[in-house]
Amino acid sequence: SFIHTKCRITDAPYSKTKDVFRALVPDNKVKWNVDWSEYSPKNYTDPNTIGKPYADKNIDEGDFRWNAVDGSINRKSHICDYSFDKDGRPLNPMGRTGLSGRGVLGKWGPNHAADPLVTRYQNGRLEFVAIQRGDTGEWAIPGGMVDPGEKVSQTLKREFTEEALNGVADASSLEDLWKHGRELYKGYVDDPRNTDNSWMETVLMNFHDKDNVLQGVKLAAGDDATNLRWIDVDSEFPLYASHDHFISLLKQSRPPT
Ligand code: RP5
Ligand code: MG
Ligand code: MG
């Protein structure tokens, strides 16, 4: 299954670190309800995130409202009400990842993102806009974190504008594109940054360019994206995190019209 594959990789250091490695979690030990008393993963919270505006405080220093909307931060999971380890840290609902702590993510518990999957037909083939991520060099559906207080519908437009229009959106010309959104997925992402206590969740929305409004718009990578291209949905192009699963959801759904 697509779940907990990329966030159990042990043959390379975690994220940009050189010496932080995940403990090996065998398939049959992923679930928390499987007893594993010897399990003692490394605890890692990226020191560069501490004190950053997007980053949570240490677990014992913050005043968190879990499984709830906590001020302007949504700490509810799309998946379930999550539980906690003995230190009071949220537990990844998908199970063990071989690394505890906040890792490089900003929030304990769910880190909410939104992914705009923009499609078109070109010579009879269905294609989507992909960007190359600056952090790993992998190709991905554009997307990013929901800002505090931001509506997901806003995040979708903002991230597409930042990453695929290099920040230059002519709002009026894209109105017809944003009108036709449909939700394809809402839930967990098998993101390589996930840990036992912090994980990515997303809302994936398909915006099909049926009116060809993108023909008159200059697509260009921007922000943390370094490159952009259209990819044929049937090409089995390898993608970041569980984004190839997201493309299979698009293919399983009725063709966009
Ligand atoms: C993935 O990370 C999500 O599906 C989304 O595409 C992305 C958000 O993180 P950043 O692009 O902001 O790093 O898990
Ligand atoms: Mg972004
Ligand atoms: Mg992004």
Side-chain angles (χ1 to χ4, degrees):
S1 116
F2 78 96
I3 284 166
H4 272 198
T5 303
K6 308 253 173 114
C7 60
R8 277 192 296 151
I9 287 173
T10 54
D11 59 3
Y14 172 76
S15 188
K16 292 260 142 73
T17 69
K18 294 207 164 56
D19 52 1
V20 178
F21 285 87
R22 294 179 187 273
L24 178 74
V25 180
D27 289 350
N28 62 359
K29 295 244 171 63
V30 170
K31 293 219 164 72
W32 293 110
N33 60 17
V34 176
D35 279 338
W36 187 12
S37 53
E38 305 83 31
Y39 180 62
S40 63
K42 194 180 174 79
N43 178 27
Y44 178 72
T45 297
D46 181 355
N48 296 315
T49 64
I50 291 174
K52 291 276 159 63
Y54 62 85
D56 279 342
K57 293 189 173 155
N58 290 336
I59 206 79
D60 47 350
E61 289 165 354
D63 179 18
F64 302 100
R65 294 192 58 214
W66 304 119
N67 287 304
V69 178
D70 181 4
S72 60
I73 298 163
N74 181 12
R75 299 192 191 277
K76 279 175 168 279
S77 167
H78 293 309
I79 310 158
C80 62
D81 274 359
Y82 46 86
S83 48
F84 304 88
D85 67 11
K86 59 173 174 25
D87 301 314
R89 300 179 296 187
L91 276 180
N92 187 322
M94 293 300 161
R96 298 179 176 102
T97 68
L99 188 70
S100 74
R102 192 155 53 66
V104 294
L105 292 174
K107 308 281 186 289
W108 298 103
N111 287 251
H112 286 289
D115 297 340
L117 177 55
V118 171
T119 55
R120 73 170 181 196
Y121 284 107
Q122 182 81 340
N123 304 322
R125 315 211 47 105
L126 185 60
E127 299 180 332
F128 68 99
V129 172
I131 53 98
Q132 191 172 26
R133 293 181 59 94
D135 57 353
T136 69
E138 291 165 281
W139 287 85
I141 299 165
M145 307 292 181
V146 180
D147 282 344
E150 190 177 43
K151 284 197 187 123
V152 168
S153 58
Q154 215 44 54
T155 312
L156 290 159
K157 296 182 203 179
R158 179 180 54 72
E159 287 291 340
F160 191 80
T161 306
E162 289 172 5
E163 298 187 356
L165 298 165
N166 195 16
V168 196
D170 177 352
S172 59
S173 69
L174 290 180
E175 238 164 65
D176 285 336
L177 179 66
W178 302 129
K179 260 203 322 241
H180 304 301
R182 58 171 177 156
E183 188 182 300
L184 291 178
Y185 179 79
K186 189 191 261 189
Y188 192 76
V189 188
D190 182 24
D191 190 291
R193 294 169 292 189
N194 293 351
T195 71
D196 288 359
N197 309 117
S198 294
W199 61 91
M200 293 297 308
E201 296 191 15
T202 201
V203 177
L204 175 74
M205 293 275 293
N206 177 208
F207 298 96
H208 184 64
D209 187 21
K210 74 178 179 101
D211 302 318
N212 295 320
V213 296
L214 287 174
Q215 248 167 35
V217 173
K218 174 113 186 62
L219 293 175
D223 196 34
D224 44 6
T226 53
N227 228 323
L228 180 145
R229 57 170 287 185
W230 289 91
I231 294 181
D232 186 328
V233 299
D234 291 318
S235 65
E236 297 192 12
F237 203 95
L239 297 174
Y240 179 72
S242 41
H243 288 192
D244 21 28
H245 174 68
F246 296 170
I247 298 304
S248 72
L249 294 176
L250 171 71
K251 292 182 359 178
Q252 282 159 35
S253 69
R254 68 168 168 73
T257 48

